[in-house]
Amino acid sequence: MPGDRFPNPTIRRDGTGFVPHTHTEVHLMSAILEARDLTKRYRLGETDVDAVRGVSLSVQEGEFVALMGPSGSGKSTLLHLLGGLDRPTSGEVVLEGEVVSELSDEDATRLRRDKTGFVFQSFNLIPLLDVTENVALPFTIAGGSRDAEQATRVRDAIALVDLADKAHHRPDQLSNGERQRVAVARALVTAPALLLADEPTGNLDYTTGSEILDALWLSCVARKQTIVLVTHDSKAAAYADRVLVIGDGQIREEIVLGRRAVHDAAPLIARLAQLGL
Amino acid sequence: MGGTFSLGWLAWRSLAARPVRSVLTAIGIALGVGVLAASLATSAGIDAAVDRTVVDILGRADLRVAAFQEAGLSAETIQAIRATGGVEAAASTLERRTYLRRPVAFVGALPAPVSVLGIEPDVDASVHALRLAEGAAIDRPDAPTALITERLATEDGYGIGGEVTIQALGDSETFRIVGIIDGDGPILGSNGRTVVIPMDAARRIFGAEGVDSVDLTMTAGSSATEVIAALEANLTREPYVLSTPTELASSLRASTADFQATTALIAAIALFVGAFLIFNTFSMTLSERVRELGLLRAAGATRRQAMGFVLTGALIVGVIGAALGVFIGLGLAALIAAHVRTIGAIPIDDVAFPLGGATLAFLVGLVVTVAAALEPAWRAGRIPPIEALRAGLDLAPARRARLRWLVVVFAAVAVVGLLAWPRAAGEAGIVTSLAVYAILLGATLLSPFLLGPLGRLAGIPFAAVLALEERLARGSLARDRSRTALTLGALTIGLAMIVAIGGVAQDARRSAGAWLEDVVPGDEVLTSIRPVGLDEGVEASMTAIDGVARVTPIARFDLALRGARVDAAAVIGSDLLADGRLTFVAGDRATALASLDRGGTAIVAASVADRLGLTVGDLMSFAVGDGRTVRLTVSGVAERTLPGAGGETILVGWSDAVDSFGVAGADVFAVRFAAAAGTSAGDAARASVHEMARERALEPAALNRIEGAVSDALGRVFALFDALAVIAVLVAALGIVNTLTMNVVERVREIGVLRATGMTRRQVRQMIVVEAGVLGLVGAFLGVVVGLLAGAVLVGASGGFSGPAELPWGSIGLAVVLGVAASMAAAYYPARIASGLPIVRAVQFE
């Protein structure tokens, strides 16, 4: 039972569904990722827009967290800040003890390469490279000679997303779902401390989307992979251990689902409906 | 017309939205137009110089009677000319080269020579028109006064009231300077260093009996035909050449034709490369704006309006670029004129920019711009509104059209080139230029197919260091094959020009060098300012010097054959035979050379034999005056003979030269040393010869120095062509900036992913630079191959050296370095864009 890993699963239920957790801060033991009072302000024409407003959160090692919210709620911006793709206006992000938000561009790049993996909504593969090469891209970028261990990792990552038979196909020979699975394998291949996924199922139909989520979930279960997923789809969010509902740049709600083998989104959907999302 | 106005406004906004690309395109057009304008201005400058020179030489004269023999025109002939009906005034001139004695003794090499022109002060002003910058004309035939040219005054520091001392045959003579002649003066080829003195003094100094030429004006109402007929009836004493100002001008022009033709060809190529840039730019803008155009169409814009949108943009860029180009051309023309003046062989005046030329260059730039944008505009008109609104519309079918369009643009530029072709350049030049042009086009059309395999090869050196970057860079180049091919084509053409010019230069230098060495029977030549009689003993006393193997006298003179002037040289056949000179293509070497000394025969150069249709055994009849002719039999045809004033000479023996053609003496002695320079014996022999030469007013020049001077002059001409070709490469580099930028823009998301996956900014920059490097290497390779081919065509057309060609390594090296360096430099801007992309926006980019 995967959930057994959690020493004290904070699953709260009442008769109708989930008990809302009203605090915006969640304190867990051995947090791998922490955000403290994060703010991101954009200049939009004449006005300033606060995309993220004083968000603090903490993600435990091996945890699968979903950030949910309507369009423009700031969930993607928050994800970018967490992964070091963007710099916060104030506040800090700490990944495995390293203050991401204070790193130089060079160091942030290295951190992305070594400690994080990204999956985007569009199937961002390099069209020129085949599946294996795309998956091995982080190693290739890092340079140095390809060792046997890396080769094994690449094979394992491809196997995890069930594409071993198409290891040498080009992206244009794959279906959309397969392409996104390649992207997942690429994000996982370095066994990053943190995998960030931004609407990975946004461009996919229901069945293909499930394949991606299954792959993510599997990595979480089998490899203790920490995942932060941004989605507006409650079926996707239902894969997570915990859902943070974002609205107006703040965490509005925390819903703890716990690790489940069978995903039933119905209670979550009901709760989100209650929240008007 | 509100609709058109807003369309124009929209086109302007569209250009302003991509300032870098628009500016680069305008600069590309400007450079192309600049080279064209400069070429036209240079041509105009040369024409003006030729016209001015004709005026400087002939002044008001209607006809020139020039001496044919070394003895010159006798006093009787001058008298006969003056007595001819219809002749109003006649002024004689004598022209010689010598040196000026410096006021202070100097050590070392002789200074640059001067030309001395003897005139008849009392009649000269009525025929010639010497323009004085300051001072007064020479007023008395017997006064020791002189005029000097402005250039000589400036270069050697003379002024009015000062004195010039002219090196004469015997003692030198001193003249007081009374006037400064405006500019370079009346003698072409003197490099502007001319001293004008009274005729009597000139004859005395140079020991001349006759005069070189008599220029005459005709009385009002008499016709040139009548006067010429009268002269022909009257002048029977000695052979002469009659020429009109027009004939003089056209013979001067002929010598500059090759230069003008080559400049025109390079201008056409720079424009063609510019057309690539324009075409690519508007195609790129179009594919970016497909959606916008679709929206316009959906909103009710007609096809014509959509086309108008693109064409208006082209017109705006074209007007700005072409106007800028005219100004660039102005500056460039001034630079070219300054450079050409240092060569000396080609006369050129400062160019008051001709309005006609400026307008022509401007219009040509505009027409080429709009022509290059026509196809993208046509495509713009055919965008279906609905499809344009769909994301990711593939314009693939249109890509093939680009190469088709290229052919059309090529033809347009070729037609424009033909229209702007300098008259003087002649038809053969046009055919050669078109052939070269066609080779370049062919290479461009082939480049899309060669891009893949050559790109893989070119990537190897980069892959060794930056494997991933190289792979991605190559992928990026393959993204839009025809766009890359066009960019590559432009680069190839520019670099090919450099290699082709290098090939031609190499051949010219080689044939110049090989020519002299093959025909001159000596290591050094001693040049005299007057004919040295064979009885003066120069030859014997020099041969007596220890370490001198052979001294042989040579005289160069003119002969009249079939009514035309031909160059001739008097030589000692046995000396040439013993020295092993001349390569015979027909006739027996030993027999032919031996028979020269016996008289009655001549050896002709292959080029002369070809031109006149002569073969061994043919009889040539030379007119020698008094209605007499001298007949010589062709005893042999040599690959090359001694160079004359206008071509290779007909070699005759000394006995014929003196007895039949009135040659007074040698003007050149060729000295062969027994020991090489650098050895003590060789150096001692050379020193003794030089000392003796100085005593006898002979100017020594080592053969390799003459060759050096020839190749230096060639070097300067070809350096100029190279500089112009580099401009074409520059235009191509602008195209590379555009293409690489487009390649970056089209894969913003891909770059975003790479950055998100951990690629550093530096790696991204490297990737773009490698992309440029691969492009540069492929361009350099193709450029070298195509350039060698084009060079071979140019060399072949000019009847160049036919031996096994040596590769112009210098130019090849230049092309490779320039190709790679220009491409990589062009990568700077796109690389900066790519590495500076914000990751978050990049990965969301659509």
Side-chain angles (χ1 to χ4, degrees), chain A residues 80 85-86 105-106 109 112-113 118 120 122 124 126-129 133 137-138 140-141 170 186 198, chain B residues 468 471-472 474-476 479 749-750 752-763 839-840 843-844:
Chain A
H80 296 148
L85 284 182
D86 208 351
D105 183 76
E106 195 80 356
T109 303
R112 283 198 298 275
R113 200 177 67 206
F118 286 93
F120 300 101
S122 331
N124 285 310
I126 308 299
L128 184 72
L129 307 178
E133 288 167 326
L137 193 61
T140 317
I141 288 175
R170 291 276 181 99
R186 184 181 63 203
D198 191 359
Chain B
L468 176 71
R471 182 105 190 268
L472 295 174
R474 229 157 14 81
S476 166
R479 173 184 300 270
R749 218 164 63 184
E750 186 179 313
V753 173
L754 288 169
R755 291 274 290 131
T757 316
M759 195 177 242
T760 60
R761 287 183 197 277
R762 194 184 141 86
Q763 282 176 303
I839 304 169
V840 172
V843 294
Q844 292 166 341

Side-chain angles (χ1 to χ4, degrees), chain B residues 384-600:
Chain B
I386 302 304
E387 273 190 45
L389 295 175
R390 238 189 269 150
L393 171 67
D394 189 16
L395 287 178
R399 287 174 185 167
R400 277 191 298 278
R402 286 190 190 171
L403 292 177
R404 267 207 307 275
W405 187 245
L406 182 70
V407 181
V408 177
V409 173
F410 166 84
V413 174
V415 167
V416 167
L418 289 180
L419 289 178
W421 198 260
R423 302 157 280 141
E427 275 177 33
I430 293 184
V431 174
T432 314
S433 296
L434 280 181
V436 168
Y437 205 55
I439 289 175
L440 298 180
L441 177 77
T444 314
L445 292 179
L446 276 179
S447 61
F449 306 101
L450 299 173
L451 185 63
L454 287 180
R456 260 194 294 284
L457 279 178
I460 290 172
F462 296 102
V465 194
L466 304 162
L468 176 71
E469 285 88 338
E470 188 270 339
R471 182 105 190 268
L472 295 174
R474 229 157 14 81
S476 166
L477 286 175
R479 173 184 300 270
D480 185 339
R481 229 165 245 281
S482 76
R483 179 166 73 215
T484 310
L486 279 183
T487 315
L488 183 64
L491 181 67
T492 301
I493 287 177
L495 296 175
M497 265 333 277
I498 291 178
V499 175
I501 289 167
V504 175
Q506 173 115 339
D507 177 76
R509 282 202 194 96
R510 218 164 91 88
S511 41
W515 187 12
L516 287 178
E517 217 166 276
D518 188 44
V519 298
V520 177
D523 305 302
E524 290 210 354
V525 291
L526 309 175
T527 314
S528 172
I529 56 173
R530 56 150 193 135
V532 180
L534 296 191
D535 51 0
E536 289 180 37
V538 174
E539 194 189 334
S541 48
M542 284 211 178
T543 315
I545 294 173
D546 207 23
V548 172
R550 189 176 303 103
V551 176
T552 185
I554 297 168
R556 279 182 288 190
F557 56 100
D558 291 339
L559 285 175
L561 179 63
R562 299 182 196 168
R565 197 192 68 82
V566 289
D567 291 294
V571 295
I572 297 178
S574 58
D575 282 351
L576 287 174
L577 184 63
D579 204 61
R581 297 305 97 187
L582 300 188
T583 311
F584 278 75
V585 292
D588 177 63
R589 185 163 177 276
T591 320
L593 285 170
S595 71
L596 270 195
D597 295 342
R598 287 196 299 274

Side-chain angles (χ1 to χ4, degrees), chain A residues 245-265:
Chain A
V245 181
I246 315 286
D248 281 340
Q250 290 173 313
I251 298 180
R252 285 300 175 77
E253 185 91 24
E254 179 189 27
I255 302 168
V256 182
L257 300 174
R259 185 144 301 182
R260 292 143 50 100
V262 179
H263 305 282
D264 179 7

Side-chain angles (χ1 to χ4, degrees), chain A residues 55-70:
Chain A
V55 169
S56 297
L57 62 84
S58 166
V59 178
Q60 207 190 25
E61 189 175 356
E63 197 181 4
F64 189 156
V65 175
L67 303 179
M68 269 200 87

